[in-house]
Amino acid sequence: MDKSLTNWKPNIAIIGLGYVGLPLAIEFGKQYEVKGYDTNATRIESLLKGEDITLQSTSTEIKKAINLAFTTNVEDLIDCDVFIITVPTPVDENKKPDLIPLLTASSAVAGVLKKGAIVIYESTVYPGCTEEDCVPVLEKFSGLVFNKDFFCGYSPERINPGDKVNTLTKIKKITSGSTIEIADRVDALYNTIIEAGTYKAPSIKVAEAAKSIENAQRDINISFVNELALIFDKMGIDTHEVLNAAATKWNFLPFKPGLVGGHCIGVDPYYLAYKAESLGYHPQVILSGRNVNDQMSSFVANKIVQLVTKNKPISESRILVLGVTFKENCPDIRNSKVFDIITQLQKQGASVVAFDPYANAAEVLDKHQVELITDLKSYDAIVLTVAHDFYKALDYSKLKASPNAVIYDTKAFLDKKIVTARL
């Protein structure tokens, strides 16, 4: 490493303080002057009190970042040398990349960009997005020239929401830069906080592509076992028992069926597919996997109806859904497929309630018009959709309205002895 890099102490701005940005701001804030910027004033107010509604960081962890300040004013970033953009990259209703948050953040940064500055992107994108979509915005609104007046890097996030073991510093970090020198600089910067070390990719596009295939690969593997679940259900075979048997072979990959939501696996493959199609190639495997995973909520809803109507009409049934977040022990409801299940059951005439001690009730009501209950009663069907640890302590016998009440487990989380069926 260039010795000059060991003494480099840039002022850092983190753009976007969600699941990715806040942990990053905290770690850098232990060693560098850091400004954490977010347009959400309510988010900033809670962080100033040491409160993180995402539950990624504790009040104690936030306080350890002694050089970290929070702001909603982009002008406060005027003295920063490094800008790290960590905003969401969702898809629209047509499953096409929605770059509005990314390009909006880029234009905001451009307004305070100075010569010599580095803009690093962590948001998941398709290969080429940084240099082909973001750089023109930076040039346009700053009046500066790329790779002459300012530079870029790409270091894809690998945050796993709710995971308290594989945290930011414990996961190897891919880095890259728009020139050889900048790549070294970006790599050196991340190496000061990442205990697991870094991997310097040869280009920004390689780093972008590596991130996009990480989640696409997982999505495809899950789609395979989801398709098995669809097949084995018709055969009356328990998919998990089949997987347990197959897992006795040393090189069998232990993926499990389930709902694929969230802001990564359920979204990122569409970015890669979009880029491929723009180049004239139709990605059959990637989109086939997405198609299988996207239909699982319909399969689950129909299965519940099938099980419930063995005992009583669906229109007379009360159904409890346990969990609305996209994964366990985490309050994140983005792209959660559970809401699709609730909607489909309601369209069938069922009375559906949802209970989730992790989700923000106001957010759930605002975005999905689902009111979370806090008082559990008895139901004709209990559907476990998220494997929150909290649910282990529930007395499921008391939740059943009758001995014939259905317990459907989409996560193979509960004791099989008490379950009617599982995905």
Side-chain angles (χ1 to χ4, degrees):
M1 183 192 299
D2 186 335
K3 290 184 178 179
S4 66
L5 297 182
T6 60
N7 298 317
W8 184 43
K9 290 289 183 180
N11 288 338
I12 301 172
I14 308 294
I15 315 300
L17 297 173
Y19 287 86
V20 175
L22 180 60
L24 200 63
I26 290 172
E27 289 304 323
F28 276 126
K30 296 174 183 177
Q31 301 183 46
Y32 304 91
E33 292 295 327
V34 176
K35 297 285 179 58
Y37 169 80
D38 201 292
T39 58
N40 187 332
T42 302
R43 173 68 166 157
I44 294 298
E45 288 173 8
S46 64
L47 290 175
L48 288 171
K49 298 175 184 176
E51 301 169 356
D52 174 23
I53 61 170
T54 71
L55 305 182
Q56 280 296 107
S57 306
T58 65
S59 176
T60 300
E61 288 169 337
I62 295 173
K63 290 177 182 178
K64 286 182 179 178
I66 58 175
N67 303 311
L68 172 59
F70 298 111
T71 183
T72 57
N73 184 4
V74 72
E75 295 299 325
D76 290 340
L77 314 181
I78 196 76
D79 294 326
C80 292
D81 313 293
V82 172
F83 299 83
I84 303 178
I85 295 179
T86 67
V87 297
T89 43
V91 291
D92 62 21
E93 63 275 7
N94 297 314
K95 308 297 184 183
K96 302 298 182 184
D98 178 4
L99 297 181
I100 292 175
L102 191 67
L103 299 182
T104 300
S106 297
S107 63
V109 166
V112 292
L113 206 58
K114 61 185 179 182
K115 287 189 176 183
I118 302 173
V119 183
I120 303 170
Y121 290 87
E122 288 216 4
S123 306
T124 302
V125 293
Y126 46 75
C129 184
T130 298
E131 293 155 299
E132 297 166 12
D133 297 283
C134 298
V135 164
V137 172
L138 293 171
E139 287 188 316
K140 177 181 178 180
F141 291 100
S142 69
L144 302 177
V145 178
F146 178 51
N147 276 346
K148 177 185 175 184
D149 300 323
F150 74 92
F151 307 87
C152 283
Y154 184 76
S155 181
E157 61 89 4
R158 281 176 165 170
I159 291 293
N160 187 24
D163 189 338
K164 300 304 180 183
V165 177
N166 299 300
T167 53
L168 170 66
T169 62
K170 303 294 194 302
I171 304 171
K172 197 164 190 123
K173 199 89 162 68
I174 296 174
T175 66
S176 64
S178 55
T179 69
I180 293 175
E181 179 187 350
I182 294 303
D184 289 341
R185 199 167 281 272
V186 171
D187 192 66
L189 180 63
Y190 279 102
N191 256 307
T192 62
I193 66 166
I194 305 297
E195 297 173 22
T198 61
Y199 177 87
K200 186 168 58 176
S203 69
I204 286 177
K205 282 186 179 180
V206 167
E208 291 170 326
K211 174 58 179 178
S212 64
I213 71 167
E214 285 177 18
N215 289 331
Q217 181 188 66
R218 186 165 176 79
D219 192 44
I220 290 166
N221 280 320
I222 295 172
S223 74
F224 172 62
V225 293
N226 271 339
E227 190 161 64
L228 292 180
L230 299 178
I231 295 169
F232 293 148
D233 177 71
K234 293 182 178 299
M235 298 179 179
I237 301 173
D238 187 310
T239 304
H240 293 276
E241 291 181 350
V242 176
L243 295 174
N244 290 339
T248 58
K249 190 169 187 284
W250 75 92
N251 59 353
F252 183 80
L253 301 177
F255 286 89
K256 294 182 178 181
L259 303 173
V260 183
H263 55 95
C264 290
I265 300 176
V267 172
D268 298 347
Y270 287 119
Y271 274 72
L272 186 57
Y274 169 84
K275 185 64 176 180
E277 290 178 328
S278 73
L279 298 172
Y281 179 79
H282 181 72
Q284 298 179 55
V285 174
I286 294 171
L287 291 179
S288 175
R290 277 281 75 234
N291 181 57
V292 171
N293 287 340
D294 276 347
Q295 68 175 291
M296 293 309 292
S297 54
S298 292
F299 170 76
V300 169
N302 290 332
K303 185 66 177 180
I304 295 165
V305 172
Q306 177 188 3
L307 293 170
V308 170
T309 52
K310 289 180 179 179
N311 302 312
K312 63 190 308 184
I314 191 68
S315 59
E316 298 175 11
S317 302
R318 297 185 71 250
I319 300 176
L320 169 66
V321 172
L322 293 176
V324 297
T325 62
F326 89 89
K327 68 172 296 187
E328 66 277 3
N329 305 322
C330 164
D332 196 344
I333 63 170
R334 285 178 293 175
N335 196 32
S336 171
K337 299 303 179 183
V338 178
F339 296 106
D340 294 339
I341 296 172
I342 293 173
T343 299
Q344 291 180 54
L345 289 174
Q346 289 174 332
K347 286 181 178 179
Q348 295 269 11
S351 172
V352 186
V353 296
F355 172 69
D356 193 317
Y358 283 86
N360 182 293
E363 181 185 16
V364 171
L365 183 61
D366 178 59
K367 293 185 176 180
H368 296 282
Q369 294 73 56
V370 173
E371 188 168 354
L372 296 181
I373 63 170
T374 56
D375 183 25
L376 294 175
K377 297 180 180 178
S378 59
Y379 306 89
D380 301 301
I382 299 99
V383 186
L384 187 131
T385 47
V386 186
H388 291 321
D389 288 341
F390 183 90
Y391 296 148
K392 291 179 181 177
L394 293 180
D395 186 341
Y396 289 87
S397 64
K398 292 183 179 179
L399 295 177
K400 297 175 68 173
S402 71
N404 293 326
V406 170
I407 297 180
Y408 187 72
D409 185 357
T410 71
K411 305 295 289 186
F413 179 72
L414 304 175
D415 185 340
K416 190 184 175 185
K417 294 176 183 177
I418 69 168
V419 170
T420 309
R422 55 186 185 176
L423 179 60

